[in-house]
Amino acid sequence: MSAEVTVLKDGLMSGMGAVVSGAGTGIGRAIALRLCQLGMDVTGIGRREDPLKDVEKTASSMPGSFRWKSVNVRESEKLVAKIAEAGEAHGIDLLVNNAGGQFFAPATNISKGGWEAVIDLNLTAVFAATKAAYPFLKERQGAVVNMSLSGVERGSMGLAHSVAARAGVLGMTRSLALEWAGDGIRLNCIGPGTVVTAGLSDEAAREMLDTLLEATPMHMDTKVEEVAELTAFLASPAGRMMTGQLIQIDGGAHIGAGLHMIEAD
């Protein structure tokens, strides 16, 4: 973790439990490791075992602990069971719905199956996980952080299916923030900007990356460590009055030209 983005004190979250989906790579990996550094007992959920095992190895010397469960979040019954196991093992003070994905295409090229797959992954699975975690969150007066997109309220060309799903998550987040406020549960969304992943780091994707950074007023990418620290902040005592929010950590992209995956005709 880069010291320049680390602001929370060591041991702040000792004795607390978290569930992080998509914990094997990218943003989810950074979040899981940061929470372990802060002393949390983290259950990581993901489809592939090898990346999760690597996170487990990296976290082994940290104050907190990391255990993992291999499950496809689109398999609702299995997802609900794994979250219950995590809640019974160490409680749930924080649920991070990070798992997600999409492909880029004009709306006219998105098939019914493609639409449903993206909605299932980015919206239905988030609702299933959040509902399953509810009794454990209520017991601890915990928090939920849902990963969204920069500019989800304004739209993005080439991502009609994904933006629809993430906008649905934002609406759900705000609705549950109202419904569950009396239980002491807080729910927020984070909208990262351009995060440089393995898929954007090769030469073939460089042109797209340059275009996205050019559309970002600050002309910088969003670091996974920055998203991780913000996630931890929202679960910390300092974030106790924040609920129903969409926090965009995107260098101003949502007020700039917008992050679009295709060009207008």
Side-chain angles (χ1 to χ4, degrees):
M1 177 67 64
S2 174
E4 63 189 25
V5 300
T6 300
V7 297
L8 299 175
K9 66 180 181 180
D10 293 345
L12 178 65
M13 296 179 173
S14 294
M16 298 172 66
V19 176
V20 180
S21 69
T25 59
I27 291 174
R29 181 181 192 276
I31 291 172
L33 290 174
R34 180 58 179 143
L35 297 178
C36 287
Q37 287 178 330
L38 291 167
M40 291 189 92
D41 296 312
V42 180
T43 296
I45 290 174
R47 288 186 301 111
R48 295 184 294 134
E49 293 186 3
D50 287 347
L52 293 168
K53 289 178 179 178
D54 181 68
V55 177
E56 182 180 36
K57 181 179 179 181
T58 303
S60 61
S61 61
M62 295 178 179
S65 66
F66 181 84
R67 68 199 76 186
W68 56 270
K69 299 182 182 298
S70 178
V71 61
N72 184 337
V73 297
R74 293 178 63 193
E75 298 178 12
S76 294
E77 291 185 5
K78 293 181 180 179
L79 174 63
V80 167
K82 298 302 183 184
I83 288 176
E85 289 176 12
E88 290 161 4
H90 53 58
I92 302 178
D93 296 272
L94 172 63
L95 170 67
V96 182
N97 288 306
N98 166 73
Q102 58 273 312
F103 56 90
F104 310 142
T108 51
N109 291 352
I110 299 175
S111 67
K112 181 175 183 291
W115 174 271
E116 291 175 348
V118 171
I119 297 295
D120 284 350
L121 176 58
N122 296 286
L123 176 57
T124 306
V126 173
F127 177 71
T130 306
K131 184 180 177 182
Y134 169 74
F136 304 103
L137 292 164
K138 181 179 179 181
E139 182 179 353
R140 299 285 186 93
Q141 294 193 325
V144 178
V145 174
N146 294 321
M147 215 53 59
S148 186
L149 299 171
S150 169
V152 70
E153 294 176 298
R154 64 181 284 175
S156 177
M157 292 186 291
L159 287 174
H161 46 358
S162 184
V163 170
R166 311 288 185 145
V169 169
L170 177 58
M172 181 197 75
T173 298
R174 288 176 168 162
S175 296
L176 296 185
L178 293 170
E179 288 189 23
W180 296 356
D183 297 319
I185 301 171
R186 299 176 296 103
L187 301 96
N188 292 288
C189 288
I190 293 178
T194 299
V195 177
V196 181
T197 63
L200 279 177
S201 60
D202 60 25
E203 191 64 33
R206 187 70 213 183
E207 184 176 348
M208 175 183 285
L209 176 59
D210 289 343
T211 299
L212 293 174
L213 294 180
E214 181 62 28
T216 301
M218 293 184 70
H219 302 306
M220 295 188 294
D221 60 301
T222 301
K223 304 299 183 186
V224 294
E225 293 85 0
E226 294 168 331
V227 180
E229 198 71 7
L230 178 56
T231 300
F233 167 82
L234 289 171
S236 76
R240 72 180 186 89
M241 289 298 289
M242 299 187 69
T243 193
Q245 301 294 314
L246 169 61
I247 304 166
Q248 310 214 57
I249 180 169
D250 63 358
H254 68 286
I255 55 174
L259 302 180
H260 303 290
M261 300 304 167
I262 61 173
E263 295 183 0
D265 292 335

